[in-house]
Each structure stands twice: as structure tokens, then as C-alpha cells.
Amino acid sequence: MSSTANGKNGTWRNWGGNVSARPAREVTPASVDELAAAVRRAAEDGLKVKAVGSGHSFTSIATTDGVLIRPQLLTGIRDIDREAMTVTVESGTPLKRLNVALAREGLSLTNMGDIMEQTVSGATSTGTHGTGRDSASIAAQIKGLELVTADGSVLTCSEKENPEVFAAARIGLGALGIVTAITFAVEPVFLLTAREEPMPFDRVLSDFEELWAENEHFEFYWFPHTGSTNTKRNNRSAGPERPVPQLQSWFEDEFLSNGVFQVANWVGRAVPATVPAIAQISSKALSARTYTDIPYKVFTSPRRVRFVEMEYAVPRAAVVETLRELKTMVDRSGLKVSFPVEVRTAPADDITLSTASGRDTAYIAVHMFQGTPYQRYFTMAERIFTAHEGRPHWGKVHTRDAEYFSRVYPRFAEFTELRDRLDPDRRFQNDYLRRVLGA
């Protein structure tokens, strides 16, 4: 059941390539009982425990030098309840497998992020989200959770059962226990019509409130060094289904968005002076298109070009000003930024440490191509975001600590008190949690 990490094989790396760990041992439990036993054994050996999903976080949230739990055997759907309209799924299930399985059953999540490589527990524990006027993050669609706590016992929670745990554990950062199963609200599968089109940066900003109000799911990408954006509006549709034709889909989503973009980034990394010219071409490469398909085929897309990312949640009312400041900073800094800036929204939710907790939110994500120095850009961007009481995504690069979070999260103490109760010996502690939650 467990393997001792040794030599080269014992090093775990994340998807972005910016985080690595060397655990004392790795465990791949095949059941909740085996997972609970692994937690108890770690306690006997005086080792910390962390579970890791697909490694899509850019922070060291999942790293440990103790026991690393790999959940790939804890996968699949446990139960579909058509009366309650819920699905209960094992924590290691990749979102991709969940989406495909639900579609086969004529069901769908209401909203999702823009990739689906992550495990359901990794995605929800870090607050992964898409964009939505009325529908919130993946974690906000959770109706129930099962987790193994520090003493090896199994705890279930929902709005009715252990509600104070439910309030926090939906986005639990791996600090309260190891999630073993999640119950999501689902609905009958529906169609979305996607409308993607270029729009000048200034127009998007001046019309932002309207674009947000008129669309169920609005987002846009701004290409630094240009005055151009690519906008995306996804709205429910009566049909008929009109997917992107296969050849066109390959050309736009694989060849342009991944293949050519990868080469452009290689050129930009080697010769930074070329980045603004490449950005002008990139911002014009994708032409307008409209298509209608089932949700996961509209919300998600392949991302094969590797990058490092910082994303902050700011109050929605502050997003236009924040973006203007970001553009001014990039224009004056001499920075060469080859990756677009992604802007999305979420309604306020009631999860203790959700980036949208208690406030209507806009997300601004800055990216740098893998292997390109990103510190200066991210530091300057972070200065702007924090001036607007920004809350960083838990799985993306940031430098904030517990002292900062206690100011921007009104319910921060609620979370840390619960952690004291559920994990008094800090079995699930690591350097990242020490920094963001305090010792």
C-alpha cells in the first residue's frame, strides 16, 4: 500500500514545475479505512500528513517531508440521488471524469473552472472557480463532505450535520482533515451558447457593469502591450447543439491556443524584446466565434502551455480601477509579458475562507510562461491587488501571511479556531499553512 520515497523517484513536483517535495513515504490508499490507518500510523511515527491531487497548485500547499497521500485509487461516483439532485464522488476523481460521467447520466454541475485536470478535492480545497454572475465556485456547489481528521476518525458534514465544519471545510486548504468524498448539487444537463469576440480594452472597462449584468458567465483576456481583449460570454440556450466543428476546434484550441502560443512564448522567453510584437499578433489571432454545447465542453479548454500564475480576488466594484492601474504599471515598467491577463467574476458566498466570502468578487489573474522570471511582475501586480484588499487564490503564487488574511477575511478566526479543535497537534501542518494560517 505504501512506497518509501527514495532517490530521484522520491521527489514530487507540481504541474507548474515551481514546487517540489521529498516525502518520507507515499501512500496510495484504496479505501477510507486505509486512509484513516495511514493517518494513525503517521501519528505514531511522528510524521506530518498531506494529500496531493494533480499538483495544479502553484503554491506549496500540498508539500510535505512526512507522509504524502496520493488519492488516485479513491475515484469514481459513489451515489447519484435523483430526488435530491446530488452526486457523491470519491475525492481523487479528476473533474474530467466527473464531467463525462455526469453527462452520460444527463446531469451537469452548474458552473466550473476553465480546466478539468484537477481532482475534485484538490480543486475545491483551494477554491477553484470559473466565472459567473449568479453561480459561484465549485466548492459553493458542495452539499456534503466526508473527511478523515487528525485522530483517524471519519467526519461527515453538511448544512445540517456539523454545520460549523461544513462552513469552513468546503475550502479547507487541507488544514482541517483529508477529504475522502464530496456530495455536489447537480442539475439536468443544459446547453450553453458561447460567444467569443475581440473587444478593445477601454470598451470592456467602460461597459464592464453591463457586460457582467447581461451575461450569466462573462470573462475576458487582456493582452498586455496591446489595447485588445478577447471576451467570452456564455449563456444558457434552448439549442440546438452546434459544437465547434472538429477541424476548426483543432485549429483554434490546439494549434493556435496551444501549439503556436507555445512557440511564441519560446521566442519571447529567448528574445524578450519581441514580446510586444508577438502580443499584437496573438491578440488578433483568434477571430470571433459562436457555438452551442453542453457545459463542460464550453467552460473548459485544454491548457498545454505551462505557466506560473498569481490570481487575486478584489471587490467587484474595484475591478475596473484595479485593471487600469495594472495596465499603467505594465506600460511603464519595461516588463515584457507574453501571457494574457484573465478577468472573471463570482457572486458572494458563505464559505469561511472562500475568496468570494461575503463579497461580490472579480478575479484578476496574471501569468508568466514557465521558465521566465516572474518575481518582478508578480510583486508589482500584488502591490496593486493588495491596495484593493485583494484576496489571493489559495493555490496560486502570493506572498501574504496570516496577519494579512486576518484583515481581509472577517471570519478568519472562525477558521483557525476550528483548526485548533480538529487538528490540535497540527498533523496536517506544512510550511505554507504555517505562513497563511499562523502557527
Side-chain angles (χ1 to χ4, degrees), residues 9 11 16 24 33 42 49 62 97 118 129 134 158 179 184 191 195 200-201 223 265 288 296 329 345:
N9 308 337
T11 302
D33 289 345
V49 185
R97 279 185 55 188
Q118 314 102 307
H129 61 89
D134 315 303
S158 64
V179 176
F184 288 105
L191 291 174
R195 185 170 151 205
F201 181 76
F223 296 82
N265 274 282
Y296 83 86
M329 180 274 285
T345 70

Side-chain angles (χ1 to χ4, degrees), residues 13 75 107-108 162 174 216 219 264 292 300 361 390 401 426 429 439:
R13 278 185 205 292
T75 59
L107 300 168
S108 176
N162 298 308
E216 289 170 73
E219 67 183 299
T292 302
T300 70
T361 293
D401 60 13
R426 300 292 185 260
Q429 173 91 286

Side-chain angles (χ1 to χ4, degrees), residues 214-261:
E214 286 168 9
N215 296 285
E216 289 170 73
H217 308 275
F218 174 67
E219 67 183 299
F220 70 93
Y221 295 84
W222 163 58
F223 296 82
H225 314 296
T226 77
S228 311
T229 76
N230 215 352
T231 62
K232 289 180 142 185
R233 293 173 242 201
N234 299 330
N235 289 289
R236 292 194 185 217
S237 160
E241 224 169 293
R242 282 208 185 92
V244 182
Q246 222 164 348
L247 183 63
Q248 185 190 348
S249 168
W250 174 83
F251 180 71
E252 292 171 347
D253 299 324
E254 287 296 341
F255 181 69
L256 290 180
S257 298
N258 284 299
V260 173
F261 190 53

Side-chain angles (χ1 to χ4, degrees), residues 201-202 204-206 208 218-224 226 229 312 314-331 340-345 362-366 377 381 384-385 388:
F201 181 76
D202 290 334
V204 174
L205 294 199
S206 63
F208 184 81
F218 174 67
E219 67 183 299
F220 70 93
Y221 295 84
W222 163 58
F223 296 82
T226 77
T229 76
Y312 265 76
V314 298
R316 203 186 73 237
V319 68
V320 170
E321 193 189 332
T322 309
L323 285 164
R324 286 214 166 94
E325 290 168 19
L326 189 69
K327 185 175 192 298
T328 302
M329 180 274 285
V330 170
D331 290 347
V341 171
E342 184 180 21
V343 181
R344 296 176 287 174
T345 70
Y363 294 98
I364 304 173
V366 296
Y377 177 34
I384 293 168
F385 299 148
H388 293 281

